Amino acid sequence: MNDIKLGKKLIKRINEINRKDIKIMEVCGTHTQVISKYGISNLVKNITLLSGPGCPVCVTHESYIDASLDIIKRENVKVITFGDMIKVKGTNKSLEDYRDKFKVIYNPLDALKIAEKNKNLDFVFLAVGFETTAPIIALTIKLAKKNNISNLYFLVSLKLMKPILNKILKLNTDIDGIICPGHVATIMGSEYFNFISSTYNIPSVICGFEALDVVAGIYTLVKSINKDNFDFSNLYKRCVKVNGNKKAHLEIKDVFKVSNGLWRGIGEVNNSSLIINKKYKNYDALDKFNIKISTKKQANKCICSEIILGKKLPYQCNYFSKECTPMNPKGPCMVSSEGSCANYYKYRGAF
Amino acid sequence: MCLAIAGEIINLDNNYALVDIMGIKDKVNIQLLDYPKVGDYILIHTGFAIEIINKEYFNYLNKVFNEMIKKEEENE
């Protein structure tokens, strides 16, 4: 996939065509990683590449972490989580402070096996992610029901990309183009992102995750921006169909319903999350443990929220690489390997 | 976290497929796919296949963008 010769030609053309100072935002943690790893920001002139809210860990609200810590402290209960979540702090602490009380998995089906093997304990799976992960969590909940697993619950924080993009593009009118998240598009379909160009009059492009995919995406956007067009293109046709994965849509619809969602540093965004519906409420950890997620705004001195909204870059934060490092993250963007700050720290060095 | 990797189906068994991922064999849930076949390349996210990769577009970027740049260079 990575034709270096073509990649070099595209970068040369980007720099020849572009006559403006432009800002392009990507909204997928894996795109953030690709851009940083290959030093793409340094190869394109007069283009600022911004990382939006594309890392689920970075946008997981403090109150959700506090709820998981409330659960983890209880007797005979253990938490199951994706590895990225363990260092994210709630109001004060993170899961890492309770090392013997959680298990890290890659495949949600492992949560079923763990629960089945340890029937004397209750387990809570921290189900975080975007539309890409939602059908998988839905299937896992359905399999738990089918297999009569009664000691596994789900603390769900599944976010939707469309409402948050609407919020960002209303708040930040400086953004000239959007690189859309390829795997959210695999599930939802290319049409899901068509609104960016048609509503906000800026070009947008769906990209894959090889260096060439991203460079081709930037080239496509730069061409449109310099012609004052607002085209919408799907360059990830090998994995993204117009209407997405219909089976995945059915699974999401069967298990979840759309609700307002809390985003770290941003607050409540209307209709931006998925919660477990009535049919599967026996699997909802909020019901089981009688927990309410607080919507209270948390005081945070770092500027993660402005970074996620594309208003500032990581090294503009006073804490970056000083008090806040991947070894001791202060804000969520430094925690995950997909976070904007963690990528600046790893690939561009401390400032 | 929406990271996904590609693998080739080498065997099918009800809701699961044995998949070759760069030489490593792993069992992947295929309930979200329509009619997967042995030899298909699939996109895998957290142990689940989320799409069959369309082979027709394997070289789409190389073909389209090489042609585009060639035309631009000819016009200059």
Side-chain angles (χ1 to χ4, degrees), chain A residues 80 103 108-124 140 142-154 283, chain B residues 16:
Chain A
I80 301 171
K103 279 187 179 292
L109 292 181
D110 290 341
L112 303 180
K113 289 179 198 162
I114 292 168
E116 274 184 315
K117 271 188 194 165
N118 300 278
K119 288 185 176 156
N120 55 329
L121 294 170
D122 280 336
F123 291 91
V124 175
T140 309
K142 286 174 81 169
L143 282 169
K145 190 175 184 183
K146 193 181 163 198
N147 298 341
N148 292 319
I149 297 172
S150 56
N151 60 333
L152 176 64
Y153 305 91
F154 296 79
Y283 290 89
Chain B
Y16 292 87

Side-chain angles (χ1 to χ4, degrees), chain A residues 3 6 10 13 56 82 106-109 128 132-133 136 183 186 213 219-220 223 238 241 245 247 338, chain B residues 1-2 4 16 31-34 43 45-48 50-51 53-54 58 61-62 65-66 69 72 76:
Chain A
D3 179 340
L6 177 57
L10 285 171
R13 286 301 293 159
F82 292 126
Y106 158 73
N107 183 336
L109 292 181
V128 301
T132 318
T133 318
I136 290 160
H183 292 146
T186 298
D213 286 313
Y219 167 78
T220 305
K223 266 179 85 168
R238 60 189 187 276
K241 293 188 278 204
N245 183 328
K247 276 192 167 179
E338 294 185 348
Chain B
M1 235 183 80
C2 294
Y16 292 87
Q31 273 176 273
L32 294 174
L33 300 183
D34 277 324
L43 193 62
H45 172 61
T46 63
F48 286 70
I50 55 170
E51 193 53 272
I53 302 174
N54 189 338
F58 268 8
L61 282 189
N62 299 52
F65 284 89
N66 267 317
I69 284 195
E72 282 181 16
E76 276 178 0

Side-chain angles (χ1 to χ4, degrees), chain A residues 123-323:
Chain A
F123 291 91
V124 175
F125 180 54
L126 306 186
V128 301
F130 287 103
E131 291 92 332
T132 318
T133 318
I136 290 160
I137 302 298
L139 269 177
T140 309
I141 293 173
K142 286 174 81 169
L143 282 169
K145 190 175 184 183
K146 193 181 163 198
N147 298 341
N148 292 319
I149 297 172
S150 56
N151 60 333
L152 176 64
Y153 305 91
F154 296 79
L155 188 63
V156 173
S157 178
L158 292 166
K159 301 280 199 295
L160 299 174
M161 200 42 89
K162 196 170 177 175
I164 195 67
L165 273 171
N166 268 316
K167 173 111 182 169
I168 287 173
L169 291 169
K170 276 177 193 157
L171 281 173
N172 190 348
T173 49
D174 287 347
I175 296 167
D176 300 292
I178 296 278
I179 296 175
C180 303
H183 292 146
V184 171
T186 298
I187 296 296
M188 302 307 289
S190 56
E191 271 305 293
Y192 188 63
F193 290 106
N194 202 354
F195 75 96
I196 299 170
S197 300
S198 57
T199 310
Y200 297 97
N201 297 347
I202 57 168
S204 52
V205 60
I206 296 171
C207 289
F209 298 92
E210 302 292 340
L212 185 63
D213 286 313
V214 176
V215 170
I218 295 171
Y219 167 78
T220 305
L221 290 175
V222 166
K223 266 179 85 168
S224 290
I225 294 164
N226 280 273
K227 283 180 186 167
D228 291 325
N229 288 341
F230 32 93
D231 304 321
F232 169 63
S233 346
N234 175 14
L235 300 185
Y236 197 30
K237 290 188 177 177
R238 60 189 187 276
C239 294
V240 177
K241 293 188 278 204
V242 175
N243 295 314
N245 183 328
K246 287 184 182 167
K247 276 192 167 179
H249 298 178
L250 291 175
E251 298 298 348
I252 292 172
K253 210 175 163 190
D254 188 31
V255 177
F256 301 117
K257 65 174 183 179
V258 174
S259 176
N260 294 348
L262 275 176
W263 296 67
R264 195 166 189 141
I266 298 170
E268 195 168 46
V269 179
N270 289 342
N271 300 321
S272 67
S273 76
L274 295 171
I275 58 169
I276 297 176
N277 65 21
K278 270 188 182 169
K279 193 172 160 189
Y280 294 93
K281 75 188 278 287
N282 289 348
Y283 290 89
D284 194 335
L286 292 177
D287 279 3
K288 163 73 182 169
F289 297 98
N290 195 22
I291 289 173
K292 283 220 156 59
I293 303 273
S294 163
T295 53
K296 216 171 116 186
K297 212 176 173 185
Q298 304 267 344
N300 198 348
K301 287 178 186 168
C302 79
I303 61 162
C304 278
S305 57
E306 287 164 277
I307 292 168
I308 286 170
L309 291 170
K311 292 180 174 174
K312 284 190 176 167
L313 292 168
Y315 58 77
Q316 291 173 300
C317 180
N318 289 334
Y319 296 110
F320 180 77
S321 86
K322 295 176 190 104
E323 286 158 76

